[in-house]
Amino acid sequence: MIQVNESKSERERMVEKQITARGVKDKRVIEAMLHVPRHVFVESVYRHQAYNDYPLPVGHGQTISQPYMVAVMTELLELKGDEVVLEIGTGSGYQTAILAFLCSKVYTIERIAELTKQARSRLENLGFRNVSFMVGDGSIGWSEYAPYNGIMITAGAPDVPNSLIEQLAENGRLVIPIGSEYYQVLNVVKKHKGRIYRKELFECTFVPLLGREGWKE
Ligand code: SAM
């Protein structure tokens, strides 16, 4: 198991300056951001930048998201602890670890097998036992374990994939960047009494969601 106290003061500074100062209030999200060691999820050459206010490369042309973006997207799911969450775009596994800290079970999908392998090993070393990984096209979700109380898509999509709306539980929340392949607007989608409500929040930039209900490869 990895020693999570290493770099604690850097995490405290990150949370104070980048997360709470910008309005993230959910105490559980703040606790998760203080707990999970972000430096474990970046390549050694970027370790000294792990707590800085920007995304970093994780190989294969992909990125680990900016800490603030991770915190905001997580807060939008309004997790209380007993939810089952689907994540699309495992990447480094950092966001996966934050989710796993905050809910009962995480299902996470990544299309690049090597990223899944690294993420799985990092989460196991950190002691997380409530995560299932899949290599595949997350734009069509993971119907076997649906419905999900929360769905988080950490790649930019042209629209909300229908499969993901179908796999969202009643009163569930889905967070997704929607727009072009180069820049998007963060959207939160809610399902209430079978109806879908969607709200646009703010501009953001994510790598594209590639797949059957995303951008064509
Ligand atoms: N949340 C990640 C983290 O904390 O490191 C960052 C995710 S990165 C911004 C987006 C990820 O989505 C990339 O790893 C990319 O390979 C993946 N991706 C893109 N399209 C996908 C799809 N259809 N299914 C699964 N993963 C996909």
Side-chain angles (χ1 to χ4, degrees):
M1 167 127 24
I2 287 168
Q3 177 53 261
V4 293
N5 280 331
E6 193 191 323
S7 299
K8 188 156 184 282
S9 60
E10 287 184 83
R11 289 202 291 286
E12 282 169 355
R13 262 197 305 281
M14 173 189 83
V15 165
E16 191 192 318
K17 291 197 170 18
Q18 302 171 36
I19 313 288
T20 53
R22 290 186 184 139
V24 173
K25 291 192 174 59
D26 186 322
K27 288 196 172 64
R28 297 182 69 247
V29 173
I30 291 165
E31 193 191 347
M33 301 293 294
L34 284 170
H35 178 82
V36 177
R38 194 167 187 266
H39 65 276
V40 168
F41 294 85
V42 302
E43 291 170 19
S44 49
V45 61
Y46 296 114
R47 288 244 157 123
H48 63 290
Q49 299 178 59
Y51 296 94
N52 292 355
D53 191 16
Y54 43 74
L56 287 167
V58 293
H60 306 272
Q62 307 304 323
T63 50
I64 176 173
S65 306
Q66 177 197 23
Y68 172 66
M69 191 58 75
V70 171
V72 168
M73 289 176 77
T74 308
E75 186 173 51
L76 287 168
L77 288 184
E78 296 185 1
L79 300 172
K80 304 287 177 261
D82 57 356
E83 297 86 354
V84 177
V85 172
L86 175 67
E87 180 196 32
I88 317 299
T90 315
S92 69
Y94 176 65
Q95 173 76 78
T96 319
I98 297 288
L99 293 171
F101 187 87
L102 293 169
C103 70
S104 69
K105 175 77 190 182
V106 179
Y107 292 91
T108 183
I109 311 175
E110 169 58 56
R111 53 185 287 280
I112 300 171
E114 183 59 27
L115 292 180
T116 296
K117 191 174 160 207
Q118 288 171 354
R120 186 198 297 271
S121 140
R122 287 168 180 148
L123 273 111
E124 278 174 10
N125 287 338
L126 284 169
F128 288 101
R129 299 283 177 263
N130 58 342
V131 182
S132 291
F133 296 83
M134 177 166 86
V135 177
D137 178 9
S139 72
I140 56 168
W142 195 342
S143 57
E144 201 178 342
Y145 300 103
Y148 302 98
N149 310 107
I151 301 182
M152 176 173 298
I153 298 94
T154 64
D159 206 343
V160 189
N162 278 331
S163 299
L164 298 184
I165 290 181
E166 278 164 21
Q167 292 173 30
L168 187 64
E170 175 63 19
N171 291 320
R173 299 168 72 87
L174 177 152
V175 180
I176 184 167
I178 294 177
S180 75
E181 279 174 87
Y182 309 102
Y183 105 106
Q184 306 87 26
V185 173
L186 192 66
N187 278 241
V188 58
V189 175
K190 296 179 211 171
K191 194 185 263 187
H192 183 62
K193 295 191 175 161
R195 292 190 66 177
I196 299 301
Y197 300 86
R198 179 166 140 184
K199 191 170 160 194
E200 292 191 345
L201 298 174
F202 54 84
E203 290 179 4
C204 55
T205 309
F206 280 81
V207 295
L209 179 79
L210 301 175
R212 212 184 317 163
E213 294 190 45
W215 297 101
K216 302 297 161 243
E217 291 183 53

